[in-house]
């Protein structure tokens, strides 16, 4: 079982920055894709960004150029750097560690609230 814990959320003014962290357990972390998702009130959960074991990144159009996803395999950590934040970025942000390609499961964190005040 992989344990996943997000941190770093909070309140920020429009134009500000936050750095989210995702701490994961397990010796196979380096093999798994790290994904960041968000869910705003009344909305469906959506993929924000992801990074594969090989370092390939993917971003939603709404955050491209503002957010950067990264990972540190030596620390079993994933990160989401969020710059130039907008009120529409307000949501609960979730980290997912995806091991399904290795016949393991997909593991979700508890979520961390990001609020961009207007």
């Amino acid at each position: 079982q992989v344990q996943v814990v997000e941190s770093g959320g909070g309140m920020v003014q429009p134009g500000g920055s936050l750095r989210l962290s995702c701490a994961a357990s397990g010796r196979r972390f380096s093999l798994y894709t790290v994904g960041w998702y968000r869910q705003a009130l009344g909305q469906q959960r959506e993929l924000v960004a992801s990074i594969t074991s090989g370092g390939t990144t993917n971003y939603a159009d709404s955050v491209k150029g503002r957010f950067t996803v990264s990972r540190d395999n030596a620390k079993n950590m994933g990160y989401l750097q969020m710059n130039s934040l907008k009120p529409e970025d307000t949501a609960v942000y979730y980290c997912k560690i995806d091991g399904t390609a290795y016949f393991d499961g997909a593991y979700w964190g508890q979520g961390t609230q990001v609020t961009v005040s207007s």
Side-chain angles (χ1 to χ4, degrees), residues 1-23:
Q1 183 74 28
V2 174
Q3 303 294 111
V4 183
V5 180
E6 305 99 328
S7 61
M11 296 179 60
V12 66
Q13 295 180 357
S17 297
L18 285 173
R19 181 179 174 88
L20 305 184
S21 297
C22 176

Side-chain angles (χ1 to χ4, degrees), residues 25-81:
S25 66
R27 68 176 185 85
R28 295 182 179 180
F29 174 83
S30 63
L31 300 176
Y32 295 172
T33 292
V34 177
W36 288 95
Y37 296 74
R38 68 186 181 188
Q39 187 167 20
L41 283 175
Q43 304 297 316
Q44 294 187 217
R45 191 171 298 186
E46 64 175 346
L47 177 67
V48 176
S50 64
I51 181 167
T52 69
S53 62
T56 300
T57 58
N58 185 55
Y59 298 94
D61 288 343
S62 60
V63 307
K64 191 173 183 179
R66 300 187 297 122
F67 290 12
T68 303
V69 63
S70 61
R71 65 193 297 162
D72 186 339
N73 290 336
K75 298 179 180 178
N76 273 28
M77 295 287 290
Y79 304 98
L80 184 67
Q81 178 67 45

